[in-house]
Amino acid sequence: MAAAPTHGFLSPTGVEVAFLLFGLATFGAALVTVTSRQLVHAALWLVATLGGLAVEYLLLTAEFIAWMQVLIYVGSVVVLLLFGLMLTKAPIGRSPDADSGNRWAALTVAVAAAAALVWVVVDAFRTTWVDLDGVASGSTRVTGASLFQNWVLPFEALSVLLLAALVGAIVLSRKARTNAANATASTPAVPGSPSGKEGGR
């Protein structure tokens, strides 16, 4: 009886190749997101990054998480970000002041956070083995029950945080309009202008 064909590191399957390619594309989109000086372009590249993550979840046969990624992050968080940009009248074009000049500090914090996240994940699942030929342990029912039973409080806290961000954007936009109206009302009339002539009459 012939042994079943196996593949190793040098003979990946089509799914593994697609996972690698989409991973590289997602990583590139994430880099453009954090280095772009145009806020709207950064938001659109963020959509590409989150969409790439959803594709990665699909390739890992985690359909529920993939569609949650699309519905919550792409459909809600990015839309909320764009509404915040519009309400606060953020500059649409290139913004030279979009960079604070603390690139090295930000890079250090990002690398430290990534290293901590990788260490936590590896330490948590170091001795966990998944039987790929057995019953699926990450089904939609199990994932949904875990999310809305064990993690319902962080889920609701995130929604409250997003609501606070939207309310803050509305408050900032109204404050800017009020300041502009007060500045216009307090501007003295220039002699010879129509308002100055009416005041002289």
Side-chain angles (χ1 to χ4, degrees):
M1 181 176 180
T6 59
H7 66 277
F9 180 77
L10 297 179
S11 57
T13 62
V15 175
E16 293 172 346
V17 173
F19 185 87
L20 179 60
L21 293 178
F22 276 103
L24 293 175
T26 304
F27 180 73
L31 286 180
V32 177
T33 300
V34 298
T35 55
S36 176
R37 292 182 180 270
Q38 297 190 15
L39 296 179
V40 177
H41 288 181
L44 296 178
W45 279 109
L46 180 61
V47 172
T49 304
L50 298 176
L53 288 177
V55 174
E56 297 285 68
Y57 286 133
L58 281 177
L59 293 176
L60 292 174
T61 65
E63 295 85 0
F64 179 76
I65 302 298
W67 291 118
M68 290 288 287
Q69 175 85 9
V70 173
L71 293 176
I72 295 179
Y73 287 97
V74 179
S76 300
V77 175
V78 177
V79 171
L80 178 62
L81 179 61
L82 292 176
F83 267 97
L85 293 177
M86 291 187 293
L87 289 174
T88 55
K89 295 183 178 180
I92 302 300
R94 186 179 179 86
S95 302
D97 57 345
D99 191 359
S100 64
N102 298 322
R103 288 189 174 184
W104 290 109
L107 181 61
T108 303
V109 173
V111 171
L117 180 61
V118 170
W119 180 80
V120 168
V121 172
V122 171
D123 184 69
F125 298 98
R126 181 179 302 171
T127 58
T128 302
W129 296 91
V130 179
D131 185 11
L132 298 179
D133 297 328
V135 181
S137 59
S139 62
T140 302
R141 180 177 181 179
V142 174
T143 305
S146 176
L147 178 63
F148 293 106
Q149 288 181 0
N150 302 329
W151 300 95
V152 64
L153 185 58
F155 188 82
E156 294 299 330
L158 178 61
S159 63
V160 173
L161 180 62
L162 295 176
L163 179 61
L166 181 59
V167 172
I170 296 174
V171 171
L172 289 176
S173 64
R174 292 178 63 88
K175 184 178 180 180
R177 291 179 182 177
T178 303
N179 293 337
N182 293 336
T184 304
S186 61
T187 302
V190 180
S193 63
S195 58
K197 293 179 180 180
E198 293 178 0
R201 293 178 183 174

